[in-house]
Structures are given as C-alpha cells and as structure tokens.
C-alpha cells in the first residue's frame, strides 16, 4: 500500500530564514508526489508535484521540493520564509495510472509557523 | 485554475437530522470527485470516490448508509450526512481531478458541519 509520512507536527522558522518541511514516501512503482497547503478553514491549494523528470521541482509561491529516490523523500523547501507562509502543509501520493483511480493518500500534515 | 465550490460553507444542525453538502466544479467537468473528512489538527481522510453515473466507492470503515453520495451530473456531487450525530461534526472537503487526471486536484473550500 502507498503511504506518505510527515514526521513533524509543527515547524517553526524565523522570517527570512530557509524552511524545510519533511516528507517520506512508500510506494510500489514510480511515485506521483504532491504538496498542498491549507489556510485556516479553507480547502487545499496545490503547490507542486513530482511525476517524472528533474529531481528539483519548483512550484507556487517560491516553494520547491527535492525528490530523492534513494532516501524516498520529497521535502518541501523555501529559501526565505514569509510570515504569510504560515499554514498547514500536506504531502500526498497518488495512485499510479495502472490503478485506474485518481486517489490521493495524504500525510498527517505539518503546521508551519513563521515568526516575525 | 479550475474552481470547485462547496455549499454550504458552514452548517449547524440538530442531532437526528440530515444535511446535504454540494460540491460543484464551476468551469470544468468532473466524472470523478472525492469526499474527504478532516478532523481538527488531523489529516484528510478519504471517505469515498464519487462517480458520475454510477455508485460511489467508499473507503473501508465509512458507512454507506450514513454518508450518501450522489453524482448527479458532470459538475455536481452531493454528500448527505443522514441522521447526523455530534460525532459527525467535522470539516468536509471535496475535490476533483484536473482534466488529464494526472495533474493536481482542485479542492473545494470545505464545509464545516456542527451537529448539536
């Protein structure tokens, strides 16, 4: 079964500092990995995805993620954090094309708090 | 990007009543939609896959008779919480995959259900 793990419930970072939100995955076959962000009482917004290609994926709002096959990780990063980045971040893996579905499996979420 | 709406955004009901939540894809057609439940400070739990023109596919442990799903058209899926109880209080979110299926999903803004 596919799964993702987000080992940190919360990450605190000072504004202007680089941030990393961790995600590791377990899949059979090629991974289809995503990061989403959720602001309070809102739905999820897409940040970026890895399907194939370059291991460094660039996404919305200056975020990027590095796919590392050997470490089965897909950590979310940003060079300089903003207070407005404070939100709940979800890593997700989706079923492969052979499954015939588009189902996502979400991690438990990491709350990012950027301190002014 | 594509827009998914949910209605109502917030609902309060008495125990024993039924509540219907609508999920609409506003500018694209969605043969498949997903319903999630999110508990406070917890991840999203996939409840079911809503399929236009056929029965929904429920995840293990989700009561079909409790959470009725109807995918009436290519732009509308409804979730009806029947005989609601306080433990059904939660944040319900729907999503729909993009046209190609392999890009991101588009999430609705969520519906906060409170059962008194």
């Amino acid at each position: 079964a596919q799964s993702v793990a987000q080992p940190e419930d919360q990450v605190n970072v000072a504004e202007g500092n680089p941030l990393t939100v961790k995600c590791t995955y377990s899949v059979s076959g090629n991974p289809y990995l995503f990061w989403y962000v959720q602001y309070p009482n809102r739905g999820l917004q897409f940040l970026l995805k890895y399907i194939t290609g370059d291991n460094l994926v660039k996404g919305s709002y200056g975020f990027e993620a590095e796919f590392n096959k050997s470490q089965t990780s897909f950590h979310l990063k940003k060079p300089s954090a903003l207070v407005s980045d404070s939100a709940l971040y979800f890593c997700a893996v989706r079923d492969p094309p052979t499954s015939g579905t588009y189902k996502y499996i979400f991690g438990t979420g990491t709350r990012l708090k950027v301190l002014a | 990007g594509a827009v998914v709406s949910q209605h109502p955004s917030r609902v309060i009901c008495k125990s024993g009543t039924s509540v219907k939540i609508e999920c609409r894809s506003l500018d694209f057609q969605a043969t498949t939609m997903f319903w999630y439940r999110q508990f406070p400070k917890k991840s999203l739990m996939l409840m079911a896959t809503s399929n236009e023109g056929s029965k929904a596919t429920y995840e293990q442990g989700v009561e079909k008779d409790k959470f009725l799903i109807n995918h009436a058209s290519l732009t509308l899926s409804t979730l009806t919480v029947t005989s609601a109880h306080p433990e059904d209080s939660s944040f319900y979110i729907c999503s729909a995959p993009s046209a190609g299926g392999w890009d991101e999903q588009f999430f609705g803004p969520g519906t906060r259900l409170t059962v008194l």
Side-chain angles (χ1 to χ4, degrees):
Chain A
Q2 305 203 110
S3 65
V4 289
Q6 293 180 244
E8 303 154 316
D9 285 340
Q10 180 159 322
V11 169
N12 295 328
V13 64
E15 187 176 30
N17 282 4
L19 69 87
T20 298
V21 183
K22 295 179 181 177
C23 173
T24 58
Y25 65 89
S26 175
V27 303
S28 54
N30 295 324
Y32 294 77
L33 298 162
F34 297 78
W35 275 102
Y36 283 82
V37 60
Q38 185 182 31
Y39 296 98
N41 295 310
R42 302 287 294 277
L44 275 67
Q45 296 177 31
F46 170 77
L47 282 179
L48 49 80
K49 67 177 185 265
Y50 174 83
I51 305 295
T52 186
D54 290 341
N55 289 343
L56 185 64
V57 179
K58 293 190 182 296
S60 306
Y61 312 120
F63 283 93
E64 57 189 28
E66 186 170 11
F67 171 69
N68 188 314
K69 189 173 183 178
S70 62
Q71 297 185 4
T72 61
S73 67
F74 189 56
H75 300 331
L76 181 70
K77 300 181 180 184
K78 187 172 182 179
S80 177
L82 300 172
V83 172
S84 57
D85 292 330
S86 298
L88 187 57
Y89 289 80
F90 289 100
C91 181
V93 62
R94 60 161 301 169
D95 285 348
T98 51
S99 70
T101 76
Y102 305 117
K103 285 167 53 175
Y104 278 12
I105 302 299
F106 283 92
T108 50
T110 299
R111 188 163 299 282
L112 173 66
K113 193 169 184 179
V114 181
L115 308 170
Chain B
V3 177
V4 174
S5 70
Q6 278 184 245
H7 178 80
S9 59
R10 207 176 268 272
V11 58
I12 301 173
C13 69
K14 293 182 178 179
S15 186
T17 60
S18 294
V19 174
K20 181 185 283 188
I21 302 170
E22 293 184 348
C23 177
R24 292 182 186 273
S25 56
L26 296 185
D27 50 1
F28 67 106
Q29 294 182 333
T31 56
T32 299
M33 291 182 175
F34 298 97
W35 286 97
Y36 296 87
R37 181 172 177 176
Q38 185 177 29
F39 297 91
K41 299 183 180 180
K42 293 286 187 180
S43 183
L44 282 76
M45 181 192 79
L46 178 63
M47 299 174 66
T49 303
S50 175
N51 304 300
E52 191 269 336
S54 64
K55 292 182 179 179
T57 305
Y58 289 82
E59 296 299 302
Q60 191 172 7
V62 178
E63 298 176 59
K64 301 178 183 181
D65 296 331
K66 174 76 172 174
F67 299 100
L68 299 179
I69 290 173
N70 182 269
H71 200 131
S73 73
L74 288 172
T75 58
L76 173 64
S77 174
T78 60
L79 168 68
T80 301
V81 183
T82 62
S83 187
H85 290 282
E87 57 265 30
D88 298 325
S89 298
S90 195
F91 195 55
Y92 293 88
I93 303 175
C94 69
S95 74
S98 60
W102 307 115
D103 287 324
E104 71 269 26
Q105 291 193 11
F106 302 104
F107 285 81
T111 297
R112 172 77 57 194
L113 170 63
T114 303
V115 185
L116 303 176

